[in-house]
Amino acid sequence: MVEPVPDAEVTAARQLGADADRVVVKAGTNSLTDEESNLDMEKLDKLVDDLEALLERDKGVILVSSGAIGAGTGRIDQPTGTVEESQALSTVGQSHLMHRYTESFARYDRKVAQLLLTQHDLENPERFTNFRNTVETLLEWDVVPIINENDAVATAEIRIGDNDMLSTSTAIGVEADLLVTLTDVGGVYTGNPKTDDDAELIEAVGENYDSVEEIVAGGTGEGVGFGGIETKVAGARDVSEYGVPAIIAKSTEPNVLEKIATAKSVGTIFVPINGVTDNRTETPSKL
């Protein structure tokens, strides 16, 4: 049983998200690829259309994008079973992915920039400062930063892990006002909505976090750890502890970011927790 968050807190959190000046948006692989794991241009264009709704409001938008390996699938007829082969495939896909983003954003006369990171970039204060300064400069130039993990060089020792962790670190490190995680489900549920017709959307997470965490981690014996939802929930919680709202929503929702920017009820919102805001200038790995 998940106790609901008081309506007043939910309304205030959604308005805080709507008022955000700087937004980090994370798009997962399933939000960008088709059933054969190929890059889906219709999905990518829809994402860019949604992002434009924020940019038209003069918000600073930073995109953390998965999909490099998916973008490479089908473009090269080579085996990809080993780590080295997958890393090579990611380099083929990353260039294709950025090419497609460049084309799609050009419809709105927008320019984009690519940033590829490893764990070293998040852990080393000097490297992270350089990253943050670059992001600040790009935003000043009205260029959209598009961030991904540098799969081509990331070994087990320097892997960030996944882009949910990367988007969380980015949101905290660049002092974003909102984190939006777009996925193939409509938020956090009491069960797997893909297989459980009785699964109910959890509209908001706040003081009920322990109950939510127990559900998604399987502590009740009915875990719903599908689609990487555990890391998404953990990341959203981390951001909320810095006084920043976070929303997990469905990428295919019509005008999803427009709705968020107008404080509509979309997905699951993580209500900010006050009082943990004095370490924001440290590198995320030290938080």
Side-chain angles (χ1 to χ4, degrees), residues 192-211:
N192 186 340
K194 296 179 180 180
T195 59
D196 182 0
D197 292 336
D198 295 325
E200 297 180 357
L201 177 69
I202 300 170
E203 181 186 4
V205 178
E207 292 184 1
N208 58 2
Y209 175 72
D210 289 344
S211 297

Side-chain angles (χ1 to χ4, degrees), residues 5 11 25 33 52 67 69-70 72 82 95-96 111 125 134 145 174 179 184 204 221 225 241 266 268 277:
V5 177
T11 299
V25 177
T33 56
E52 181 62 21
I69 291 178
T82 68
S95 60
H96 182 52
K111 294 180 175 61
T134 297
V174 304
L179 169 64
D184 59 345
E241 289 179 344
V266 179
T268 299
T277 58

